[in-house]
Amino acid sequence: MTYADMFSKVKGMFMEADVSDIHEHLAYQFNITGNAEGIFYVEVKDGKLYVEPYEYFDRDAMFTCTAETLFKLAEGKTDPVLAFTLGKLKVDGNIDKALRLKELIDSKKKQK
């Protein structure tokens, strides 16, 4: 899988999230390691969700993981806290805001 393929799939998954109930600014950078290596960010701003293939310098938190781990997180098949505990997900930055990533994932599951 190429970075472009991975980013396209991830963007589609994240864009399904309902962020209308999130009233604070959240900005996450994802550093993908291994296969499909690259960087992208997810931002919630003014009730809208943005997913872009760039580095985000004013981020709240930065996640580092493989594309496989990221897909499992985005699909709700792996709990972010468990992935962190098992060393499959590295988190730097504001932990409180990092934990809000689960809200984005859960809001996507509720819509289905």
Side-chain angles (χ1 to χ4, degrees), residues 4-46:
D5 293 337
M6 178 277 304
F7 178 75
S8 178
K9 182 176 177 182
V10 167
K11 184 171 183 171
M13 296 171 90
F14 272 109
M15 292 309 289
E16 294 175 4
D18 177 9
V19 298
S20 60
D21 289 341
I22 299 176
H23 301 291
E24 69 179 295
H25 179 260
L26 299 173
Y28 303 123
Q29 179 173 310
F30 290 84
N31 296 338
I32 305 304
T33 60
N35 193 13
E37 181 176 343
I39 294 173
F40 69 93
Y41 74 86
V42 175
E43 177 182 33
V44 178
K45 182 178 179 181
D46 301 325

Side-chain angles (χ1 to χ4, degrees), residues 40-98:
F40 69 93
Y41 74 86
V42 175
E43 177 182 33
V44 178
K45 182 178 179 181
D46 301 325
K48 293 183 181 174
L49 180 69
Y50 302 90
V51 182
E52 298 297 335
Y54 309 111
E55 193 164 355
Y56 196 106
F57 293 101
D58 194 24
R59 60 192 171 251
D60 296 309
M62 182 170 56
F63 300 97
T64 303
C65 63
T66 64
E68 179 184 3
T69 297
L70 180 61
F71 288 133
K72 288 180 180 178
L73 291 168
E75 293 167 356
K77 294 180 179 176
T78 296
D79 180 75
V81 175
L82 178 62
F84 176 79
T85 304
L86 295 174
K88 294 183 178 210
L89 177 67
K90 182 180 174 190
V91 182
D92 292 307
N94 184 321
I95 297 301
D96 290 332
K97 287 198 174 190

